[in-house]
Amino acid sequence: FKALDRDRTDTAAILYTGGTTGTPKGVMLTHEAINFSSCSIAYYERSTEKDVALCFLPFNHVFGQIHIMNSTILSSGCMEMLPSFDMDLVLEIVEAGWITKFFAVPTVYIRLLGLPDLKEKLGPLRYCFSAAASMAMEIVRQWKEQTGITISESYGMTEAMPITFNHYYPERHVVGSVGHPVHGVEVQIRNTSGKLLEQGQEGEICVRGRNVMKGYLDNPEGTLSAFWEGGWVRSGDIGLFDPDSYLYIVDRIKDMIITGGENVYPREVEEQLYTRPEVEECAVIGLPDKEWGERVVACIVPKPGQKIIPDALKTFLKSRLSPFKVPKEYVVVSQLPKSPAGKILKREVRKQFLEAGQPGKGEKG
């Protein structure tokens, strides 16, 4: 066949968003964007030809295709591939001793933390990375304590990745942050009108750089609404910068709950719930309420052998959160709906709750 000349700004791949907050959209990524992303990741992870990465994440998602596969190939490393996550098979491969880099989503790390002798099972693993969903600070701390390995994180999305990285220098890793902007990527915090906010103020994270998408496939209206003037793509995430230029993700704009006129960011509540020994996974959502507009509801997957006691959780949360942020209802479920990439789909949680009354066994407090 004859090779065709392509411009660096031509569309090279169309990857679909996870559909966490709505219908998945086809993201048109350019040759330049994919090349920039792959090179940046290989640099920040200090990837070499001696690395062997384990991948069980789907290649139709930006995490599996670009972050893991492309950057590994670019750095001449090797990759062990599995069709999906299988705990026994993953442990067998890791314990064999040739895997040096491990990539997973938060739910996988949570499951692995329940294993005895975890550090011995990981063998010579040098690097762990989590993406696709926000990682609770408590999970990062527990993993470091049990394995001695810091879970690296970055902030990115199908429309632009990576945006930040935490961190090229392990000693500068800050738990709870997604790190500093990667080289060549600009990050701003803006209000709903597009006005630039000062350091420390919460607002929407906006991004500009060679890693930004060309637009949404066959969706000119969606593309127009996704950008501010000047090529700044809107993330839909609320964040802020600290004095040292570390970026922190507060929550998704669409996930914010308004109860009694007060704003509640679910992630803040979830971070506290994850510090409880009986909680394996959780999702905090807002549901319609005649009195409050929305009521805060916590859906919880308990750890094996543990029982969720709503009154105990409510008392605990009241000591750490403002009263209006404390869930009015606690629902115990066996599992939470997730995307193929491992993100908890809160819109599906809400849908199940509203259609069936509640998604599982409910316990109110």
Side-chain angles (χ1 to χ4, degrees):
F1 65 91
K2 184 179 180 180
L4 297 177
D5 287 332
R6 291 296 184 193
D7 189 83
R8 61 187 174 83
T9 59
D10 285 343
T11 300
I14 298 170
L15 297 182
Y16 279 79
T17 60
T20 307
T21 58
T23 304
K25 297 183 284 291
V27 176
M28 297 184 290
L29 298 174
T30 67
H31 290 272
E32 180 178 45
I34 292 175
N35 184 59
F36 178 89
S37 299
S38 303
C39 291
S40 295
I41 293 159
Y43 167 78
Y44 278 95
E45 294 188 346
R46 301 172 185 259
S47 301
T48 74
E49 73 280 359
K50 296 179 180 179
D51 278 317
V52 181
L54 177 61
C55 179
F56 44 79
L57 292 151
F59 289 136
N60 64 327
H61 186 271
V62 69
F63 186 17
Q65 182 180 134
I66 297 179
H67 191 115
I68 304 175
M69 182 180 73
N70 287 6
S71 66
T72 299
I73 293 172
L74 179 69
S75 56
S76 301
C78 293
M79 187 163 61
E80 183 88 23
M81 294 182 288
L82 297 175
S84 61
F85 177 72
D86 181 308
M87 175 75 89
D88 293 334
L89 190 52
V90 165
L91 288 174
E92 179 183 332
I93 293 172
V94 172
E95 286 183 273
W98 64 75
I99 301 298
T100 63
K101 298 175 73 177
F102 184 77
F103 300 89
V105 296
T107 52
V108 170
Y109 285 103
I110 291 169
R111 289 184 62 184
L112 290 172
L113 280 170
L115 299 174
D117 304 319
L118 178 59
K119 185 174 183 178
E120 288 71 22
K121 287 180 169 63
L122 296 182
L125 200 66
R126 76 163 182 88
Y127 183 83
C128 290
F129 184 90
S130 177
S134 296
M135 173 74 85
M137 290 188 289
E138 184 61 25
I139 304 304
V140 178
R141 292 192 186 98
Q142 289 180 22
W143 188 267
K144 176 71 172 180
E145 290 172 2
Q146 291 192 33
T147 70
I149 301 173
T150 298
I151 297 177
S152 295
E153 295 180 82
S154 94
Y155 173 58
M157 51 188 180
T158 311
E159 293 88 340
M161 66 84 68
I163 296 170
T164 66
F165 203 88
N166 190 16
H167 199 282
Y168 180 78
Y169 299 103
E171 66 274 13
R172 296 188 65 185
H173 181 277
V174 175
V175 176
S177 169
V178 290
H180 289 133
V182 302
H183 303 316
V185 175
E186 299 173 85
V187 182
Q188 292 183 346
I189 305 297
R190 299 190 178 197
N191 65 14
T192 54
S193 301
K195 180 183 177 182
L196 184 64
L197 299 177
E198 295 181 1
Q199 176 268 314
Q201 291 185 297
E202 294 181 0
E204 184 177 17
I205 300 167
C206 299
V207 184
R208 184 170 67 178
R210 288 181 291 163
N211 57 344
V212 169
M213 69 169 179
K214 196 171 184 178
Y216 294 122
L217 178 67
D218 298 329
N219 190 350
E221 291 183 1
T223 299
L224 185 63
S225 64
F227 286 89
W228 289 118
E229 186 178 348
W232 290 89
V233 68
R234 304 178 63 180
S235 70
D237 292 318
I238 300 168
L240 61 88
F241 278 109
D242 73 6
D244 296 317
S245 297
Y246 281 83
L247 180 65
Y248 292 78
I249 309 300
V250 178
D251 218 323
R252 291 288 297 172
I253 291 175
K254 291 183 179 180
D255 286 339
M256 186 179 72
I257 302 165
I258 302 177
T259 180
E262 300 280 4
N263 294 343
V264 177
Y265 295 116
R267 185 178 177 184
E268 182 183 3
V269 184
E270 292 162 357
E271 287 281 359
Q272 297 302 326
L273 286 171
Y274 273 116
T275 65
R276 296 287 297 187
E278 67 268 41
V279 175
E280 180 163 294
E281 287 187 299
C282 64
V284 173
I285 61 173
L287 293 176
D289 188 274
K290 291 182 179 179
E291 181 180 356
W292 300 96
E294 285 184 294
R295 68 182 184 278
V296 183
V297 177
C299 300
I300 300 170
V301 178
K303 287 183 178 178
Q306 296 283 344
K307 182 176 175 60
I308 301 300
I309 303 174
D311 286 343
L313 287 181
K314 183 173 284 189
T315 300
F316 170 77
L317 293 174
K318 281 182 176 179
S319 68
R320 298 192 171 203
L321 300 170
S322 300
F324 65 88
K325 298 178 181 179
V326 177
K328 293 179 170 58
E329 189 172 349
Y330 301 81
V331 180
V332 178
V333 296
S334 58
Q335 61 182 4
L336 291 166
K338 299 183 181 72
S339 70
K343 285 186 179 181
I344 293 174
L345 298 174
K346 290 187 177 180
R347 60 184 173 84
E348 289 299 321
V349 177
R350 293 189 196 95
K351 182 179 177 182
Q352 290 177 8
F353 199 106
L354 294 172
E355 288 182 352
Q358 52 193 32
K361 178 184 176 185
E363 296 190 31
K364 299 182 180 181

